[in-house]
Amino acid sequence: MNHIIIGAHWGDEGKGKIIDILAEKSDIIVRYQGGNNAGHTVKIENQTYVLHLIPSGILHPKKICVIGNGVVLDPEAFFEEVKMLHGKGIKVDGRLFVSDAAHLLLPYHRLLDQLKEENSHQDHKIGTTKRGIGPCYADKMARLGIRVADLRNVNSLKVRLGVVLEEKNQALRKLYNHPGLSFDEIYSGLLKIRKRLLQFSISTSNYLYEASKKKKNLLFEGAQGTMLDVDHGTYPFVTSSNASVGGAITGSGVSPTLIDRVIGVVKAYTTRVGEGPFPTQFPPKLMEQIQKQGNEYGSTTGRPRRCGWFDGVITKHAVRINGLNEMVVMKLDVLSGLPEVKIATGYRLGGKILKDYPTSTDEFSRCKPIYESMPGWKEDISSATRWKDLPVNARRYLQRLERLLETPIKIVSVGSKRSQTIFL
Ligand code: IMP
Ligand code: MG
């Protein structure tokens, strides 16, 4: 069986933990989009691992991990992560493969991302992770990218980098009054990592095709979430890749006919990090409380995440875009102790009532949520392992979500440990 895991909100739904659990039954775990802007936190026993670029499946000693062509790969970040894993006794050689068609994220991408954010007017800042993701994908589309396979031939690499860097340095000088970056430094940096990176690189699309012919189970690990998707999210306050289901196809070179199920991950509430409208955002006091209870701080940037009530409108949008077959609800325990819990089932925009996400970010920013309120529960549910361990109001809350989303909830998580998971 081949499964795709998708974030159905704005990322940080807790995909890391679920991937770690589902990896058990998979043979190969595939990252297909994004880069080291992602942060997947996995807690195993008393160790916490944060992975940005390498699939979280790497924590299972026997599994194969693939970084697909849709990922933008920062070699410095990649080797740092390999080193971190080796430091913790996790070997990657022979079981980690990088697509030779993946684009390299290079120092000018990072610099341009930082300068653009810093020089943008407050209203136009995206609140990026400043990892260079946007500029790298822009180069890919503009046909100015350098791919892993380009490392094979140093002569053509040298010419290509020369042409590309000249254009980048002109932009740096003209737009940001920056002296530009040194060709020799970037080129020698690439020469240093070239052989080692090529050892990891294969045609991952071929590899996955052959593996699925042999009935290997593939698990596609999404990063970010549907509302950060460059096509279907809150544009322009999005990341620069397809974080929704299509990204798994183009970003891996695996046909949609080979996919069996698409699993959507949400939190029991909604969070967002970075700029952009967020209709169900909590008032300040409740926000602070949930941020604390849920430890809602970005695992890549440390920024506090904005928190709010469960937004049923965007989640239904995600159910439709991704064709979600089932849902996973994370962090239900964080809502314990609230006198009431609310779900947005529609928006009010001027005199109109909207049931669907309106596309226009201007309209979305003026949407006022229409809430359904339900009584909360006081009990600590962090040791619940079965449906019947949950207080009746928590069950009602989940049942309401199922009805609203018209999608079955198959897993509920009540804490960060592997054991704090209810399978339904
Ligand atoms: P970028 O991906 O660094 O360009 O950032 C674009 C937007 O996506 C910003 O709002 C970031 O905060 C957000 N973002 C990027 N990666 C993640 C993630 O892994 N989780 C949550 N938000 C993210
Ligand atoms: Mg994250």
Side-chain angles (χ1 to χ4, degrees), residues 191-320:
L191 291 186
K192 244 192 261 161
I193 54 99
R194 189 177 86 84
K195 285 217 172 94
R196 178 101 173 98
L197 188 55
L198 285 174
Q199 281 168 357
F200 286 99
S201 91
I202 56 170
S203 162
T204 49
S205 139
N206 267 318
Y207 177 78
L208 295 171
Y209 179 68
E210 293 302 329
S212 70
K213 275 211 287 200
K214 289 180 201 141
K215 298 283 174 245
K216 298 282 183 204
N217 297 316
L218 312 182
L219 180 66
F220 293 85
E221 166 175 341
Q224 291 88 39
T226 305
M227 297 313 288
L228 286 174
D229 182 286
V230 67
D231 284 273
H232 301 292
T234 47
Y235 192 90
F237 301 101
V238 291
T239 191
S240 300
S241 64
N242 284 115
S244 65
V245 72
I249 305 306
T250 52
S252 68
V254 170
S255 161
T257 57
L258 293 177
I259 304 302
D260 297 289
R261 287 186 90 67
V262 185
I263 303 169
V265 187
V266 292
K267 276 180 202 164
Y269 47 99
T270 310
T271 65
R272 170 161 213 182
V273 55
E275 305 300 325
F278 181 10
T280 64
Q281 184 167 318
F282 289 137
K285 242 184 98 187
L286 185 53
M287 172 111 95
E288 218 179 290
Q289 183 188 337
I290 297 296
Q291 263 167 357
K292 259 198 215 122
Q293 272 166 227
N295 189 27
E296 294 294 356
Y297 302 93
S299 43
T300 296
T301 56
R303 291 177 290 177
R305 298 177 185 136
R306 292 184 276 155
C307 304
W309 294 116
F310 190 94
D311 189 329
V313 183
I314 62 159
T315 316
K316 279 172 82 166
H317 177 73
V319 167
R320 178 174 58 79

Side-chain angles (χ1 to χ4, degrees), residues 106-236:
L106 296 171
Y108 45 82
H109 295 130
R110 256 178 274 140
L111 182 61
L112 284 164
D113 194 1
Q114 281 156 21
L115 288 172
K116 183 156 196 342
E117 278 290 283
E118 280 155 19
N119 289 282
S120 290
H121 181 272
Q122 184 54 40
D123 297 346
H124 302 290
K125 282 191 203 302
I126 309 286
T128 74
T129 60
K130 299 188 182 169
R131 297 294 189 269
I133 306 297
C136 188
Y137 278 113
D139 276 0
K140 173 177 175 171
M141 292 310 184
R143 294 155 295 184
L144 279 175
I146 295 179
R147 306 195 295 173
V148 172
D150 295 330
L151 296 173
R152 290 187 196 137
N153 181 333
V154 286
N155 296 324
S156 55
L157 172 69
K158 191 170 182 181
V159 174
R160 175 84 176 154
L161 179 66
V163 171
V164 172
L165 187 63
E166 181 46 35
E167 186 174 316
K168 298 298 151 192
N169 279 343
Q170 283 204 27
L172 284 168
R173 285 187 212 112
K174 288 183 182 150
L175 295 174
Y176 302 111
N177 211 11
H178 185 284
L181 294 176
S182 140
F183 173 86
D184 291 338
E185 242 169 73
I186 299 176
Y187 183 59
S188 66
L190 285 175
L191 291 186
K192 244 192 261 161
I193 54 99
R194 189 177 86 84
K195 285 217 172 94
R196 178 101 173 98
L197 188 55
L198 285 174
Q199 281 168 357
F200 286 99
S201 91
I202 56 170
S203 162
T204 49
S205 139
N206 267 318
Y207 177 78
L208 295 171
Y209 179 68
E210 293 302 329
S212 70
K213 275 211 287 200
K214 289 180 201 141
K215 298 283 174 245
K216 298 282 183 204
N217 297 316
L218 312 182
L219 180 66
F220 293 85
E221 166 175 341
Q224 291 88 39
T226 305
M227 297 313 288
L228 286 174
D229 182 286
V230 67
D231 284 273
H232 301 292
T234 47
Y235 192 90

